[in-house]
Amino acid sequence: MKKICKIALTMLLCSLSTPVWADDVTANLMVYKARAQYDANDFEAQERAFELFYDAYSEADSYDLRKQISDELCIIYQNYKQFVNNHMPPYLDDYTSSKASFYQKLAKYNDARGMRLYAIHLIMTKNDAEGLDLMVRAANGGDAAAAFYMARICKRGLLGCTANADTAYKWLKLSAENGFAPAWEKLSAIHWDGDSNWNANWNQNYAITCLDKAIELYSAFTLWNASKNEQLTIYIKSLKHIKSHMESFVGYATGSIIADFYPTFLALRLSFYSENETGLRYRAYYIGEAMEEYGRSYHIDATQHLDLSLIPIRLCSIEDYSGFAIPKYTDGGVHFQINVDAEDLPYITDERSRWLREIKLNKIIAHEMAHCYFFSRYSYISDKKILEGQATNAEYAFANYTYFVGGLTAENFANMITTEYAGYFRWYRSHCLKADGGTNWEVIDSYERTASPYGQGGSNRTIVAGPDGVFETPLFFD
């Protein structure tokens, strides 16, 4: 403890910039205020006390008072750090903008968690270089969530980093080894899939081992909020569902169910959720997450993020359609509703029909979400060859990567859908794609200019809540 306090004091002396010295009265008043509100069982009270003691140190004039404040600050810090470890699940330890000043002080106190949270603040306020440097320091300092952030940054090539799958994987492994449940979960997914985006080998048994560790770490906490705890319980149950399916598929020739079929981690995850409206909403979040991560593959890379908490997803009977996305344009904005007709799905009689029903239901959601992405930027195009061509190609990408690990050919997919929609699918591929297989958005913009009354191209509209209001975001998508 003494060694830690000395280090912390040294860090403080080095990090404080040109302090304005006052007499000890001001510093003592801050100390008294901090002591009066300190509560060892309350996050907010501990954080306020830490900030006051930190500021009091810079105000103190005499060496004796500064030494006293430093010693007490060290004790408060150690108690707070232990309280966080005992009561804050690392996977829910999120940044709060109103606490930026506290995070900055915690970071200057050489706390890895504070570095990560203040790094997020810097990145969000566009100070990317300093934020990235601080995130690296946090990750190397043992903060598992920071290492997880670094894995995502390196994989996607964000904040000026060059995309590098091997470096991303090393950060992911470090995050897992430091006890971060989402990192173990991600390792499970990429090894189950043999995900080339991470240069990960296909290893079903290791994937199960990783998922076991994730379940163990998620289960280590009981959350303070009853609703959140219920969601966590359901989430853990979903992971156990995935694990059960993994165990049943190890060494099993899944191509005997459907030709070239292999259910990815996402496919197993989606199969946990029901076909009621709550289940459809969960499915949509996971499908949207995959679509946005690989936006070019899903033909939505020129469009904007969809806030699904603003979009109703309803079960209803739809004549002639399995799903329908309805945009309603307002002055400068747009709101949506997605309708799904679950009655227009294969009946379940065996394992094959069960998966065929799963595939079709989730393809419908991906298709209608693709429409919403498109409509959020292009409000004048009405040509079905473009509208349905884009959505069917997004649907194809979803089916291909989620259920066939890239082995579903475009022609085989075309044979899975109606003749009319197969025509739209092929037309779009012939007229609107670039050589890399992604959408040529210059072509789409030219169609928008032709269709619009003033010759303007695509322009993002603000997505707003409709008459149904705002829906609760699932816990793990906050």
Side-chain angles (χ1 to χ4, degrees):
M1 173 79 77
K2 289 181 179 179
K3 184 177 180 182
I4 293 171
C5 290
K6 287 179 181 177
I7 293 171
L9 177 57
T10 302
M11 291 297 300
L12 275 171
L13 291 171
C14 292
S15 64
L16 292 171
S17 57
T18 59
V20 178
W21 300 103
D23 62 16
D24 288 352
V25 174
T26 302
N28 271 315
L29 287 172
M30 297 171 76
V31 169
Y32 295 148
K33 184 177 179 181
R35 288 173 181 164
Q37 67 178 359
Y38 181 73
D39 182 347
N41 295 309
D42 183 276
F43 270 112
E44 304 290 337
Q46 290 185 71
E47 290 170 354
R48 287 193 298 271
F50 178 89
E51 279 207 87
L52 283 167
F53 270 102
Y54 187 101
D55 291 338
Y57 180 90
S58 68
E59 292 290 338
D61 191 12
S62 68
Y63 171 83
D64 288 345
L65 182 56
R66 288 161 61 198
K67 178 66 168 62
Q68 175 191 330
I69 292 171
S70 176
D71 289 344
E72 197 161 350
L73 177 63
C74 188
I75 293 169
I76 287 173
Y77 168 72
Q78 290 297 329
N79 288 345
Y80 175 71
K81 187 174 180 179
Q82 190 62 46
F83 192 79
V84 168
N85 290 339
N86 291 339
H87 298 282
M88 173 61 74
Y91 48 87
L92 293 181
D93 189 14
D94 296 327
Y95 164 82
T96 303
S97 60
S98 61
K99 294 185 178 183
S101 172
F102 169 70
Y103 299 148
Q104 183 180 29
K105 293 179 175 66
L106 205 56
K108 286 184 176 181
Y109 206 71
N110 208 31
D111 179 84
R113 172 176 173 265
M115 291 178 191
R116 185 241 310 165
L117 292 167
Y118 191 59
I120 295 172
H121 170 76
L122 291 172
I123 291 166
M124 291 181 69
T125 53
K126 305 305 180 186
N127 194 342
D128 291 349
E130 188 181 352
L132 179 62
D133 177 67
L134 202 57
M135 191 69 78
V136 171
R137 287 176 57 197
N140 285 326
D143 188 84
F148 191 72
Y149 272 104
M150 287 307 304
R152 295 168 61 187
I153 289 167
C154 290
K155 176 180 173 289
R156 300 186 187 184
L158 304 175
L159 306 181
C161 289
T162 301
N164 188 301
D166 292 329
T167 303
Y169 185 84
K170 288 177 183 177
W171 282 120
L172 187 63
K173 284 283 287 185
L174 179 63
S175 177
E177 288 162 2
N178 283 333
F180 198 51
W184 283 114
E185 183 182 346
K186 189 65 178 177
L187 283 171
S188 178
I190 65 179
H191 283 288
W192 179 260
D193 298 350
D195 192 341
S196 60
N197 293 292
W198 293 85
N199 283 352
N201 62 311
W202 182 59
N203 189 329
Q204 291 179 316
N205 288 314
Y206 183 60
I208 294 170
T209 297
C210 291
L211 192 55
D212 260 334
K213 291 182 179 179
I215 291 169
E216 177 186 348
L217 289 166
Y218 279 120
S219 303
F221 283 88
T222 298
L223 302 186
W224 58 94
N225 177 285
S227 174
K228 288 184 181 293
N229 199 61
E230 181 182 3
Q231 289 188 63
L232 174 61
T233 300
I234 293 171
Y235 192 74
I236 293 169
K237 187 177 179 181
S238 76
L239 296 182
K240 291 178 178 178
H241 166 92
I242 295 169
K243 180 191 169 189
S244 175
H245 275 66
M246 283 181 168
E247 290 171 337
S248 71
F249 280 130
V250 169
Y252 178 44
T254 54
S256 64
I257 302 174
I258 305 167
D260 301 317
F261 172 71
Y262 181 79
T264 61
F265 192 92
L266 175 58
L268 299 178
R269 163 164 275 156
L270 295 174
S271 71
F272 169 77
Y273 294 101
S274 70
E275 295 178 6
N276 61 23
E277 290 183 356
T278 299
L280 294 182
R281 176 160 294 281
Y282 272 93
R283 289 169 185 261
Y285 269 97
Y286 285 111
I287 292 169
E289 182 182 50
M291 292 177 74
E292 292 197 7
E293 182 169 4
Y294 301 106
R296 186 117 185 100
S297 297
Y298 287 97
H299 306 280
I300 61 168
D301 52 306
T303 64
Q304 60 182 308
H305 167 69
L306 282 187
D307 182 352
L308 287 174
S309 71
L310 304 177
I311 303 176
I313 303 171
R314 302 298 191 199
L315 282 169
C316 59
S317 179
I318 312 167
E319 187 175 355
D320 299 327
Y321 296 101
S322 298
F324 204 78
I326 307 168
K328 298 285 186 181
Y329 294 102
T330 62
D331 185 17
V334 60
H335 60 83
F336 299 104
Q337 178 168 318
I338 294 175
N339 293 336
V340 175
D341 188 351
E343 295 301 315
D344 188 30
L345 295 171
Y347 289 109
I348 297 175
T349 57
D350 55 15
E351 188 174 21
R352 172 184 168 82
S353 59
R354 179 171 70 87
W355 281 109
L356 286 172
R357 185 179 178 94
E358 270 292 308
I359 293 170
K360 183 163 185 181
L361 174 59
N362 294 319
K363 285 199 302 109
I364 292 169
I365 296 172
H367 183 108
E368 302 311 326
M369 287 181 65
H371 278 316
C372 293
Y373 283 108
F374 192 90
F375 290 142
S376 73
R377 180 170 177 81
Y378 299 101
S379 53
Y380 293 105
I381 293 174
S382 58
D383 189 331
K384 289 188 74 173
K385 295 193 301 295
I386 301 170
L387 298 181
E388 297 302 340
Q390 181 262 353
T392 50
N393 274 276
E395 178 187 342
Y396 165 57
F398 170 77
N400 189 21
Y401 297 127
T402 308
Y403 294 100
F404 298 93
V405 200
L408 179 64
T409 67
E411 274 309 300
N412 282 343
F413 172 79
N415 292 330
M416 295 168 63
I417 58 181
T418 66
T419 302
E420 179 187 1
Y421 278 75
Y424 301 142
F425 173 72
R426 293 189 181 102
W427 182 90
Y428 193 88
R429 295 180 73 78
S430 297
H431 294 82
C432 302
L433 300 191
K434 284 190 170 183
D436 66 357
T439 288
N440 186 338
W441 294 104
E442 292 178 1
V443 171
I444 305 303
D445 276 323
S446 70
Y447 279 103
E448 179 77 353
R449 283 193 292 271
T450 299
S452 64
Y454 303 108
Q456 68 266 39
S459 178
N460 287 343
R461 287 177 176 260
T462 302
I463 301 173
V464 298
D468 288 328
V470 179
F471 300 85
E472 182 181 6
T473 301
L475 177 63
F476 290 88
F477 290 93
D478 284 346

